[in-house]
């Protein structure tokens, strides 16, 4: 029985030892998770701020380009109308192929 009792005590010691290691590793993992979560939150905050700045700059540039292009398109449209009027004046009234009264 002495061997059985020794084996039982040894198994108990191994289980306690494993539980202690698991507890230490769990505590360590929790600490690493907390640190990494804080770092990720910090990076997210910084990147969000940078993205907002870039978005604001690009939106302003797009608005400027839109304004410039709209003005240029309006100018071209005005020129096209004037060209159409000038061509119509050069061509004169439309000619009729069939002359009435002959």
């Amino acid at each position: 029985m002495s061997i059985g009792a020794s084996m039982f005590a040894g198994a108990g010691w191994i289980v306690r030892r494993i539980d202690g290691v698991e507890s230490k590793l769990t505590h360590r993992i929790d600490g690493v998770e907390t640190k990494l979560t804080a770092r990720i939150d910090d990076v997210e905050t910084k990147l969000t701020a940078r993205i907002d700045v870039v978005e604001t700059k690009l939106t302003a540039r797009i608005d400027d380009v839109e304004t410039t292009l709209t003005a240029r398109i309006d100018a071209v449209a005005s020129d096209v109308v004037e060209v159409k009027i000038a061509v119509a004046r050069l061509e004169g009234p439309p000619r009729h192929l069939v002359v009435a009264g002959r």
Side-chain angles (χ1 to χ4, degrees):
M1 284 225 181
S2 169
I3 293 177
S6 295
M7 287 178 60
F8 184 73
W13 177 82
I14 290 172
V15 169
R16 278 194 316 257
R17 185 85 171 137
I18 289 172
D19 287 345
V21 169
E22 181 183 2
S23 176
K24 288 179 184 178
L25 289 177
T26 300
H27 179 69
R28 208 167 151 200
I29 288 170
D30 290 344
V32 169
E33 181 182 14
T34 302
K35 287 179 184 179
L36 290 177
T37 300
R39 284 183 66 187
I40 289 170
D41 290 345
D42 186 42
V43 168
E44 181 182 17
T45 301
K46 288 177 183 178
L47 289 178
T48 300
R50 286 181 64 187
I51 288 170
D52 290 345
V53 168
V54 169
E55 181 182 15
T56 302
K57 288 179 182 178
L58 290 177
T59 301
R61 284 183 65 189
I62 289 169
D63 290 345
D64 290 344
V65 168
E66 180 184 16
T67 302
T68 302
L69 289 178
T70 301
R72 288 179 69 185
I73 289 169
D74 290 345
V76 168
S78 175
D79 289 346
V80 168
V81 169
E82 291 178 19
V83 168
K84 285 182 177 180
I85 292 170
V87 169
R89 285 184 182 152
L90 288 174
E91 289 180 351
R95 296 188 179 137
H96 300 287
L97 295 175
V98 179
V99 179
R102 273 195 175 190

